[in-house]
Every structure is written in structure tokens, then in C-alpha cells.
Amino acid sequence: MLWRRNLFAPLAALALALTASAGAGTAAAATDTTVVAASATAPAADDFGAPGPYATAVEVGAITTLYYPRDIADSDRRHPVIVWGNGTGGVPLVYRDLLLHWASQGFVVAAANTPMSNLGISMRASIDMLTGRNADPGSIFFDRVDLEHIGASGHSQGGAAAIVVGSDPRIDTILPIQPGPLANINAVRVPALLLAGQRDSIVFPALVKAFHNAADHIPALYGEVRGADHFTVVGDPGPFAAPTTAWFRAHLMGDRTAGAQFFGPGCGICTDTATWSDVRRNSLALNVPAATP
């Protein structure tokens, strides 16, 4: 299709920009930590864009980079998982601030290292790896990973990968950010929050709306971030931090306050016109009560 062919040139530009952004800091990623007060339980939160209560750590592996609560070995709870796919040519370091933010909220984030994530192979391999680590008595992750609650997310090509991985029965929800077009949302069987940027000239909002329109078989929401271009989520995630955190807290932690941001008559994002230029909920999403996302 013509619109798909026209998309490849700007995606190539994205690859160059993301690779350049990743350059100097790669070696530091393995030892970087963000220190905040620790907590043993999933805390309630109203400001989902604020740092969470967990100190964080980073582990760079051959296939996957892990962002996780630093004291996970001593935690008295299991921590849900988010698997992540990079944009074309990108690496997890490019999205470090967002992934660390999720880890500070109590998630184990497994970011595929591949710069070509569309097939979701490395994202699925990340789940396999964490399954093994969770079962290994010698691992800091032993019996601390909540493999019953796994979400998938990613940006651009990685957003398409999140849709692809959404067909995996281990996935409980997906959150594609400005997803590329090479995915079939008809294969997804879990709730979806599809995010677009109002000023995105690479993955146009209309392309993300097309996924939302096709997702009439699952609870699906479309959110268009006001003023955001394709690179707003890179580095400081800005307006993407709070809604993505709330979505995963609602679906993977059972946070009712977070669920009220998306569901029920009070739908927080539906009235937040400062953050959103367009919000849409399909009929199945409209029928989800705020207290039980």
C-alpha cells in the first residue's frame, strides 16, 4: 500500500536519530541506579508521572536489558512484568527514563536489545528468560517475578511489536506507543491503549486510529498526546510517563485509582484536554467499570 511505502523513509531517519542518541552512554547503563525510598508493597498513587517508591537497577544482557526494583531479592511481593520493543535502529538506553520510571513503580521491565523488534521474537524471549530466572534459587529474581501479569509496550516499530506480541497467551495487556503499521491487531485478545502524537509526521495519528478502529473485539482506547511529535517519548518521556504508568498499574497491579483514568463515567483522560488532543474509547472499553479494569 502507498502509505506504507511512504512511511519507510521517515522511519529510516528515526533509526539514525535513535542510534545517535544512544551512543555515548551505553557503557554506563549496566551500573546506573536511581535511588528513592523502598517499599515492600504496591503503593497507591495519584500522580502517576512522579517517581515511584522503589530504588532501581539495570542489568544489560546479550538479548535483554532489565530495569527493575533494586532490592527485588528482599521484596515480600512478586513484581509484574513489562516487555519492551525499541523503535527502528534504537536500543533500550534511548528510552531509559521511561523504563526506569516503570521500574520505580515496581515493575520488572524486560527491554529487548534488538534494533529491529517488529516480529517480537526478542520480547517473547525476554519472558522465557525471566521465567527461568524466577525459578532459579540462585537468582535475585527467584520467586519475585509475577509471571501471571505481563504487559507489552514499545515505540514505533516496537509499538507494532507490542501488538504482535499481544497475541501471546502470556500477555495481559498492550500499550503500543506510536506503533508502525506492520502488525495485525485482530490477533490480540487483551485490552489495548494505543497512543499517538498530535504532531507525529512519521507515524501519523490516522495510522494509530486505524488500529483502534480495527480493535472492535477487545476493550481499546486511543489517546493522542497534545503537541507530541515522534520523538517526544525519547529521553525524558514527559507526557507519556503518567498515562502509561497508570495503564499498567490498572491492568497488572489492580490499582483502581489508575483504572479510573481510563474506565467508567469519570474517565480521567477523557476530560484532560491539556494533555490529550483526542481520546476515544470503543464500545467494549465503555462497558468496563472503573473499579475492575
Side-chain angles (χ1 to χ4, degrees), residues 172-174 185 188-194 212 215-222 247 251 262-263 280-289 292-293:
D172 296 289
T173 186
I174 64 170
I185 203 164
V188 175
R189 292 293 180 268
V190 294
L193 173 60
L194 297 139
H212 176 261
D216 57 2
H217 60 295
I218 56 173
L221 288 79
Y222 169 83
W247 181 263
H251 288 85
F262 310 100
F263 302 108
R280 305 181 184 198
R281 299 187 291 173
N282 70 7
S283 60
L284 293 178
L286 287 170
N287 289 328
V288 175
T292 55

Side-chain angles (χ1 to χ4, degrees), residues 259-280:
Q261 293 295 306
F262 310 100
F263 302 108
C267 174
I269 69 169
C270 299
T271 56
D272 181 8
T273 56
T275 302
W276 306 97
S277 51
D278 192 0
V279 172
R280 305 181 184 198

Side-chain angles (χ1 to χ4, degrees), residues 58 84 216:
V58 180
W84 172 265
D216 57 2

Side-chain angles (χ1 to χ4, degrees), residues 149-175:
H149 295 92
I150 303 176
S153 187
H155 174 237
S156 196
Q157 183 181 153
I163 296 173
V164 171
V165 173
S167 64
D168 190 306
R170 297 172 294 183
I171 298 295
D172 296 289
T173 186
I174 64 170
L175 198 165

